[in-house]
Amino acid sequence: MPQLEASPRIDFHSEDYKDAYSRINAIVIEGELEANGNYKQLAESLPENQAELLKLAKMELRHMKGFQACGKNLQVTPDMAFAREFFSELHNNFQQAWQEGRIVTCLLIQSLIIETFAIAAYNIYIPVADDFARKITEGVVKDEYLHLNFGEEWLKANFESAKAELEVANRENLPLVWKMLNRVAIDAEVLGMEKDALVEDFMITYGEALANIGFNNREVMRLSAQGLAV
Ligand code: Y39
Ligand code: FE
Ligand code: FE
Ligand code: FE
């Protein structure tokens, strides 16, 4: 490894690394693409926030292109079939909620759960990324905090009417995230990302978001640990 690499102990060109990267990179690319679609759908449902949501949608497409470049840079072909299947349950839940006009559920899935998942993954990835991917990811994670903030602000402003639906949506969707994380924990570890660190970052960011929205301490604990029986 050249001296300039961020993490001299990681060989970014080994077959093991590239194999794991083909799935993690695909997940991120697919996630960004789905986030783009989700914000476009939310823009249709929330005319008052349309301009802002379309801006967020555009950012997600930029993120996707950045991560495609990261894969190319390492000469990795992302396993998009794996990634689509990986997201399918959350994807279906979002689509069904949107069809039924359950916008609070859509916001919980995209702006709270998926954004927090992204923030945790990118924060933990940055210190172990190759130089090219690290610069891209540092730019992206700043945007993800803005996306999370959009969801927080909207849900905070509508807390009383949204509260019951948030609890149901959390119960239905948060366990999926722990399941998803477990599925890629070994691949993440090959990239230098520890599962414990991912869980910790997720819990902190998600708990803070729930508190900002208006849940009390006890509710935050109960909601953020839902389904975390790993
Ligand atoms: O809002 C966004 O940009 C989110 C779509 C991106 C999702 C990224 C999902 C990251 C999961 C990676 C798991 C690594 C262990
Ligand atoms: Fe993004
Ligand atoms: Fe985002
Ligand atoms: Fe380990």
Side-chain angles (χ1 to χ4, degrees):
M1 270 296 104
Q3 277 291 302
L4 294 175
E5 299 282 16
S7 246
R9 290 174 305 134
I10 296 174
D11 180 358
F12 302 112
H13 304 287
S14 74
E15 285 311 312
D16 279 357
Y17 190 91
K18 286 169 65 170
D19 177 58
Y21 207 85
S22 72
R23 287 178 291 279
I24 302 285
N25 183 232
I27 287 169
V28 167
I29 291 167
E30 175 67 18
E32 297 293 354
L33 182 63
E34 294 203 17
N36 166 265
N38 291 349
Y39 281 118
K40 284 196 286 196
Q41 284 178 277
L42 283 166
E44 277 182 52
S45 305
L46 298 171
E48 282 179 34
N49 307 93
Q50 189 162 56
E52 188 172 5
L53 285 161
L54 291 175
K55 220 171 70 187
L56 303 191
K58 247 192 186 152
M59 293 163 98
E60 302 295 19
L61 216 53
R62 225 183 322 115
H63 298 169
M64 181 189 76
K65 288 175 185 156
F67 289 124
Q68 284 174 325
C70 294
K72 269 213 179 81
N73 180 55
L74 294 177
Q75 293 173 299
V76 167
T77 305
D79 185 346
M80 297 311 297
F82 173 82
R84 275 188 291 274
E85 199 268 320
F86 180 82
F87 272 107
S88 59
E89 285 184 271
L90 266 190
H91 173 88
N92 292 340
N93 285 358
F94 181 99
Q95 291 308 323
Q96 184 160 358
W98 192 76
Q99 292 300 334
E100 294 169 5
R102 286 182 280 123
I103 294 310
V104 167
T105 298
C106 292
L107 283 169
L108 177 121
I109 292 174
Q110 175 58 46
S111 295
L112 299 189
I113 288 185
I114 298 182
E115 297 295 352
T116 301
F117 197 19
I119 287 168
Y122 301 162
N123 278 338
I124 302 305
Y125 177 54
I126 285 169
V128 293
D130 65 84
D131 286 345
F132 182 86
R134 188 174 60 254
K135 283 181 197 110
I136 302 255
T137 309
E138 282 169 347
V140 169
V141 75
K142 289 194 189 110
D143 290 345
E144 307 303 3
Y145 281 105
L146 300 176
H147 303 174
L148 173 63
N149 188 253
F150 174 86
E152 282 176 6
E153 292 299 325
W154 195 97
L155 292 166
K156 182 181 177 173
N158 297 276
F159 185 60
E160 283 317 317
S161 62
K163 193 175 179 202
E165 186 177 333
L166 281 172
E167 301 221 14
V168 173
N170 184 81
R171 194 183 316 129
E172 288 174 350
N173 292 285
L174 194 58
L176 297 178
V177 170
W178 303 127
K179 214 168 88 181
M180 291 160 80
L181 187 57
N182 281 333
R183 278 188 76 184
V184 290
I186 292 172
D187 287 333
E189 171 117 24
V190 171
L191 270 50
M193 304 158 72
E194 294 291 339
K195 181 185 158 185
D196 288 357
L198 290 162
V199 172
E200 180 182 306
D201 200 282
F202 186 98
M203 295 281 270
I204 290 170
T205 302
Y206 196 65
E208 280 174 1
L210 294 173
N212 290 341
I213 289 166
F215 287 102
N216 68 33
N217 264 335
R218 173 175 293 272
E219 290 166 332
V220 167
M221 293 296 163
R222 181 168 49 77
L223 290 170
S224 55
Q226 194 108 57
L228 180 67
V230 291

